[in-house]
Amino acid sequence: MSDERRFEIIRALSNNVVLANDVLTNKETILMGKGVGFGAKPNGILAASDGRIEKTFTLESQQHLSQYQMLLDQIDPEVITVSERIISMVSAELTPNLNEHIHLALPSHIEYALYRIRHDIAIENPFLWELQTLNPKEFEIAARAAELIANSFGIEVPEDEIGFLTIHIQSAAAHVPVGNVVQYNHLLKDLVALIERRRGGPIPKESVDYLRLITHLRFAIERIRQGEHSPNPFRDKLKDMVPHEYSVAREAADLMENKLNKPVTDDETAYIAMHLYRLFNKELD
């Protein structure tokens, strides 16, 4: 066994989860698999080739590791198993570089969602259309995650819940806290509402114009959040050329500055004004 990767057991967290030290990397590692923790004793050795080990992952943050151990005492083990299967799916199909907090956030969310579904408490997601439209890959994975949850627990998962699973996938892949993802979606909705008021009427969600608008605003929010700057050669002319659209764009910029606590450049405001000019001066597709 000396030439084989192996784990030194620290302690069994449950019959299916073991906290161990990876002898190769000297990092505390979570081992998961049916029965892997049964009979596991501190200082015992598990070979990486042990057929009971289905998954391994490392929580770099000691705080996250402590919270994960507490989570195992509070949550249905099947929720943990399903959550890790979903995380593996996201890692394989979207990006392996996920925020490790998903190992805590996702099972907690699923446990609460199960409670709401079983007690007939409505799950309503105000961002469902935008999430599905702007994040088709994440939404598709979330839909399969919902199917896995439904089959594992014998329930029907509503589409709105697929939207919330999408948010958790977004959060982990982008390394942005779930609360911030929700905040950005709220901001997107507020921006659309502002523009619709200034335009004088709603923009049908099924229209190409709505898709263009939320796509532009979503990337504007991301650029502002990351402090990116793209010069606009028409910036100074637009104030005089399209005063109404520029005024609305400035209102939108002020709203983003307030919600994101980040400055919005005149160049970014001008790009929004250009988009609004096209929107305000054409018939909807």
Side-chain angles (χ1 to χ4, degrees):
M1 185 181 289
S2 59
D3 295 330
E4 184 181 14
R5 186 185 180 198
R6 60 194 189 278
F7 302 97
E8 183 178 357
I9 298 169
I10 297 174
R11 72 182 181 96
L13 302 178
S14 74
N15 282 341
N16 301 318
V17 185
V18 168
L19 174 64
N21 184 60
D22 186 329
V23 175
L24 181 64
T25 64
N26 197 33
K27 288 185 176 181
E28 292 187 353
T29 304
I30 301 291
L31 313 179
M32 301 189 72
K34 189 172 183 179
V36 71
F38 186 76
K41 303 294 184 184
N43 300 318
I45 297 295
L46 283 172
S49 60
D50 191 307
R52 295 172 298 170
I53 300 175
E54 299 173 6
K55 180 176 182 178
T56 68
F57 63 90
T58 301
L59 295 175
E60 300 289 348
S61 164
Q62 190 62 44
Q63 180 183 7
H64 286 168
L65 182 59
S66 298
Q67 290 173 341
Y68 192 79
Q69 294 178 53
M70 291 174 59
L71 197 68
L72 291 170
D73 294 331
Q74 301 167 0
I75 285 186
D76 179 353
E78 183 63 16
V79 171
I80 299 291
T81 300
V82 169
S83 298
E84 291 303 328
R85 288 178 65 185
I86 293 170
I87 292 168
S88 294
M89 189 190 311
V90 176
S91 178
E93 299 185 28
L94 203 58
T95 172
N97 182 28
L98 298 176
N99 189 322
E100 66 178 34
H101 191 260
I102 193 174
H103 294 284
L104 305 170
L106 186 60
S108 296
H109 172 80
I110 292 174
E111 180 89 345
Y112 184 53
L114 289 172
Y115 174 85
R116 296 186 65 164
I117 293 169
R118 287 165 174 164
H119 290 80
D120 295 320
I121 301 173
I123 296 176
E124 297 179 355
N125 192 320
F127 318 117
L128 186 62
W129 180 273
E130 289 77 15
L131 287 165
Q132 187 172 7
T133 303
L134 294 175
N135 309 279
K137 181 60 177 177
E138 291 88 343
F139 194 90
E140 187 269 329
I141 295 173
R144 283 190 282 123
E147 185 177 354
L148 175 59
I149 294 168
N151 292 337
S152 299
F153 298 100
I155 59 168
E156 184 175 340
V157 178
E159 190 176 33
D160 289 75
E161 172 56 26
I162 296 176
F164 285 119
L165 291 170
T166 302
I167 289 175
H168 278 273
I169 293 171
Q170 266 189 291
S171 169
H175 288 256
V176 176
V178 169
N180 287 28
V181 175
V182 173
Q183 177 196 10
Y184 302 150
N185 280 292
H186 270 297
L187 175 55
L188 181 60
K189 297 281 281 189
D190 289 344
L191 288 166
V192 170
L194 167 65
I195 290 166
E196 288 181 327
R197 289 196 303 271
R198 298 296 178 262
R199 179 180 175 274
I203 306 167
K205 286 188 174 181
E206 297 80 8
S207 70
V208 173
D209 289 277
Y210 189 82
L211 174 59
R212 287 172 178 163
L213 176 61
I214 62 174
T215 300
H216 181 86
L217 293 175
R218 184 259 187 95
F219 284 109
I221 291 171
E222 187 62 21
R223 286 192 297 271
I224 294 163
R225 185 181 73 83
Q226 296 191 4
E228 296 177 357
H229 177 248
S230 180
N232 189 322
F234 305 106
R235 180 191 63 192
D236 296 330
K237 296 179 180 179
L238 284 168
K239 293 181 183 180
D240 296 325
M241 292 173 59
V242 290
H244 174 59
E245 290 80 1
Y246 193 90
S247 175
V248 178
R250 188 61 256 173
E251 285 188 76
D254 289 343
L255 180 58
M256 287 190 281
E257 285 187 341
N258 179 262
K259 296 295 184 179
L260 299 174
N261 197 28
K262 297 272 190 177
V264 178
T265 65
D266 288 342
D267 293 281
E268 189 67 60
T269 303
Y271 279 118
I272 297 172
M274 292 170 66
H275 187 87
L276 295 182
Y277 178 77
R278 182 174 62 181
L279 178 64
F280 286 8
N281 291 276
K282 68 182 288 292
E283 294 296 324
L284 289 176
D285 294 337

